[in-house]
Amino acid sequence: FILVACAASAFSQATFPTPALTGIAPLCSKAGTTVELTLRGTDLDAPVAILLNERSIPVKSPKPNVVSLALPADLKPALYDLRFVGRYGVSNPRVFEISTLDTVESPGTNTKPDNALKVAVGSVIQGAFKSNSPHWFTFEAKKGQSIIASFDGHRFDTRTELFVAITNANGKELARMRNGVMHFVPPGDGTYRMRLNELMYRAGDD
């Protein structure tokens, strides 16, 4: 009786690993592409698949906490619940977007105007602020072209808030983001600069 009681007590106190997904990068990609998805969390051992809503997509893991995810071409553009499936089961969801736009990864070395990364209008920019320095970009635009940029961190479960400003080559501010939306009409053909920084200058993987 004593042995059985001790065994039952030990079993009741045992904890079993449960996958917990605290972050992913990147946050979006196009259907029909293969993306290397970096996972952050605990108990993310032996990846088997990624669930996008209820759809299971097999994955390969080229290195720890990274999976190679081949996105089916028939995925519809939308926000999806992404879950990790591995040795210890299925994780909690994180938000992942299937987009129709090309994605540009900000390397984090573009922290000064002279090192600005060239992007095209009609792109998604992704990245992380590893320091409190801003990220700089340049883009070509035509006079009178209507350009809209938007960011909503709540859609992706991130606390990040962006400050965005567009300047000309002389550093004069021409437009800035307000309440997550920016509308810019170029005064002439040319190259413009765009500065992004976290509103409170917070930094980190999120």
Side-chain angles (χ1 to χ4, degrees):
F1 173 79
I2 293 174
L3 289 175
V4 172
C6 290
S9 176
F11 182 79
S12 65
Q13 296 176 14
T15 57
F16 296 94
T18 301
L21 199 55
T22 60
I24 59 174
L27 297 175
C28 82
S29 192
K30 274 184 170 182
T33 62
T34 298
V35 59
E36 280 208 346
L37 193 66
T38 299
L39 310 173
R40 295 191 302 277
T42 57
D43 298 322
L44 304 175
D45 300 89
V48 175
I50 291 292
L51 290 179
L52 288 181
N53 291 352
E54 302 304 321
R55 186 159 182 176
S56 179
I57 305 172
V59 295
K60 297 179 180 179
S61 182
K63 50 189 174 182
N65 294 331
V66 174
V67 295
S68 179
L69 178 63
L71 297 168
D74 61 347
L75 286 173
K76 304 299 183 184
L79 294 179
Y80 288 79
D81 283 339
L82 182 149
R83 290 176 171 85
F84 168 88
V85 183
R87 174 179 295 159
Y88 301 117
V90 181
S91 76
N92 59 294
R94 298 294 297 184
V95 178
F96 185 82
E97 182 174 23
I98 298 297
S99 174
T100 60
L101 304 176
D102 292 327
T103 300
V104 177
E105 190 70 26
S106 183
T109 56
N110 48 327
T111 55
K112 295 182 180 180
D114 292 342
N115 296 328
L117 178 69
K118 188 172 183 179
V119 297
V121 173
S123 300
V124 173
I125 297 173
Q126 298 191 101
F129 293 105
K130 299 296 186 179
S131 69
N132 59 11
S133 299
H135 290 200
W136 286 88
F137 306 87
T138 62
F139 63 93
E140 302 291 329
K142 299 291 185 181
K143 180 179 180 179
Q145 184 179 7
S146 180
I147 299 173
I148 295 175
S150 65
F151 175 79
D152 182 2
H154 296 294
R155 295 174 67 203
F156 296 98
D157 298 329
T158 174
R159 296 182 302 134
T160 302
E161 298 179 74
L162 283 186
F163 173 83
V164 182
I166 292 179
T167 64
N168 60 18
N170 297 322
K172 180 182 178 181
E173 185 176 305
L174 303 175
R176 67 168 57 185
M177 182 171 284
R178 301 181 189 279
N179 299 319
V181 178
M182 180 174 62
H183 185 208
F184 173 55
V185 179
D189 296 358
T191 301
Y192 294 88
R193 288 174 174 167
M194 183 168 63
R195 168 185 166 154
L196 277 70
N197 62 266
E198 214 283 330
L199 187 63
M200 304 302 292
Y201 289 91
R202 292 172 290 199
D205 288 336
D206 293 328

